[in-house]
Amino acid sequence: MRAALMDRDWRNGWAFAAPGLLMLAIVMGFPLVYAAVISVSSLTLLRPSLTPFVGFANYAAMMNDPLFWGALWLTIKYSLVTVAGEFVIGLAVALMINRTVTMKPVYFAVLTIPMAMSPVSVALIWRMLLQPNLGIVNHTLEAVGLPRVDWLGNADLALWTMAGIDIWQQTSFVVLILAAGLASLPRDPYEAAEVDGASPLQQFWYITLPMLRPVAAIAVIIQLINEFRTYDLPYILTKGGPGTSTEVLSFFAYRRAFLGLHLNEGAAASFVLLLIVLGLTVLFFATLERRR
C-alpha cells in the first residue's frame, strides 16, 4: 500500500512538473543544443550550412588566436578587480550600516537604486557623464583646475573606467548580502571579547571575519559569475575598444560571430565561457554545502 502511494506521488509530481520542464527544454534546452551543434560545424553568415561538421576545429582555431587569450585574460583581470572592489567597499558600508541604529530602511532603499537599474541604463548614463567635451565629470575637473580626461577613449583608462562603473552599480548587492550576514551573527562572542579587553579591530579580525566567511564566499562567487558574463557595459560604453582594450570574452564571442561572420567560432567561444561559469556555479553550490 505504501509503495503504491509513493508511486502515485511520484507520477503526480512528474505530471505537475512536466509543463515547466517542457517550457525550460524549449526556451533553454533547444538554443543550447543548437549552439553546441553550431560550434562543431562549418556554419558562417556567408555560408549558412551546418555541414560538413568539423569537430573541435573551431575550438582549436580559437585556442590558436591570441585575441581569444587576450580576451580571456582581460575577463579574469576585470572580474577580479571589480569583485575585489565590490567586496571591500560593500563590507565597509555593511559594517557602517550594521552599527547604525536609526534610518536603516532609508539607507537600504538608497543603496538598492543602482542595483535596480539595468546595466544598459547605467552605461548610457555614465557615457553621457564621462563624455570628453560635454560630460559633467570633465566640466567639474576643469572647474577645479584639472585637465579633461578621455575616460573611455584612452586605452590605458577605459578598462578601469568600466570597472569603476560596474563597481558603482553592483556594490549595493554585496552590501545587502553582507549586511544580512552581519545582522545574523551572535552577540555572545563579542560580549566575551569585550570582557577580555579585545579592541574593535581585534573583534573584527578574529570574530567578525571568520563568522562572516561563508556569507562572504557566497557574495564573492555570485559576483564572479556575474562579472564573467558581463556584456552590457563594454557593448554600450566602448564596443570593446579602444582597440581591444575592453574586449572581454563575452564581447569577443559576439564580435567573432556577428562582426567577423564566423558563427561557429563565436559559438565555440561562448561554450568556453559557459564552462567557466558552470565551474564557478559548482564552486558556489559546494560553498553552500560546506556552510550547512
Side-chain angles (χ1 to χ4, degrees):
M1 181 65 179
R2 183 177 180 182
L5 288 174
M6 291 179 63
D7 186 57
R8 187 183 66 183
D9 291 342
W10 183 85
R11 289 198 305 270
N12 290 339
W14 277 106
F16 282 113
L21 293 175
L22 180 62
M23 185 61 65
L24 282 176
I26 295 173
V27 174
M28 297 181 61
F30 175 74
L32 191 63
V33 171
Y34 187 61
V37 172
I38 291 176
S39 72
V40 294
S41 75
S42 56
L43 177 69
T44 68
L45 288 177
L46 296 178
R47 186 183 178 280
S49 173
L50 291 173
T51 55
F53 289 101
V54 296
F56 291 100
N58 294 322
Y59 292 89
M62 185 183 59
M63 295 296 179
N64 290 326
D65 188 349
L67 291 177
F68 166 78
W69 294 107
L72 179 59
W73 165 240
L74 201 68
T75 303
I76 294 172
K77 181 168 65 172
Y78 176 81
S79 300
L80 292 178
V81 168
T82 52
V83 171
E86 290 159 10
F87 179 78
V88 171
I89 299 173
L91 180 59
V93 174
L95 287 169
M96 288 188 289
I97 292 178
N98 189 58
R99 297 178 65 89
T100 304
V101 178
T102 60
M103 297 182 65
K104 279 188 179 182
V106 176
Y107 298 142
F108 283 122
V110 172
L111 283 170
T112 55
I113 293 175
M115 186 178 65
M117 300 171 64
S118 70
V120 173
S121 301
V122 170
L124 289 172
I125 292 170
W126 277 100
R127 192 173 71 175
M128 289 188 291
L129 293 176
L130 297 174
Q131 210 277 337
N133 299 316
L134 303 175
I136 192 173
V137 174
N138 276 338
H139 277 289
T140 303
L141 290 177
E142 285 189 325
V144 297
L146 296 175
R148 296 184 179 212
V149 178
D150 191 358
W151 298 98
L152 298 173
N154 187 320
D156 296 325
L157 284 178
L159 181 69
W160 309 116
T161 302
M162 190 170 73
I165 295 171
D166 199 331
I167 291 171
W168 176 85
Q169 183 187 17
Q170 297 294 332
T171 297
S172 55
F173 175 75
V174 180
V175 171
L176 294 178
I177 293 181
L178 296 181
L182 288 170
S184 65
L185 298 182
R187 293 299 310 165
D188 295 344
Y190 294 96
E191 294 172 357
E194 289 176 0
V195 172
D196 291 337
S199 66
L201 182 59
Q202 289 173 323
Q203 292 180 34
F204 169 75
W205 189 258
Y206 294 105
I207 299 176
T208 303
L209 279 184
M211 290 197 297
L212 195 63
R213 188 179 296 125
V215 177
I218 291 172
V220 168
I221 294 170
I222 289 176
Q223 287 305 102
L224 271 177
I225 293 172
N226 289 333
E227 299 303 342
F228 264 93
R229 296 186 300 110
T230 190
Y231 171 80
D232 315 74
L233 290 184
Y235 180 79
I236 299 297
L237 290 172
T238 63
K239 294 292 190 296
T244 58
S245 60
T246 60
E247 189 178 271
V248 293
L249 192 54
S250 59
F251 195 81
F252 169 85
Y254 161 78
R255 177 176 284 182
R256 183 57 57 91
F258 297 105
L259 301 183
L261 307 182
H262 293 281
L263 285 176
N264 47 4
E265 293 183 12
S270 298
F271 263 86
V272 172
L273 180 59
L274 175 64
L275 290 176
I276 295 173
V277 173
L278 284 177
L280 292 173
T281 305
V282 170
L283 181 61
F284 167 70
F285 283 107
T287 303
L288 281 180
E289 289 296 324
R290 283 200 301 269
R291 188 185 178 194
R292 292 177 185 174

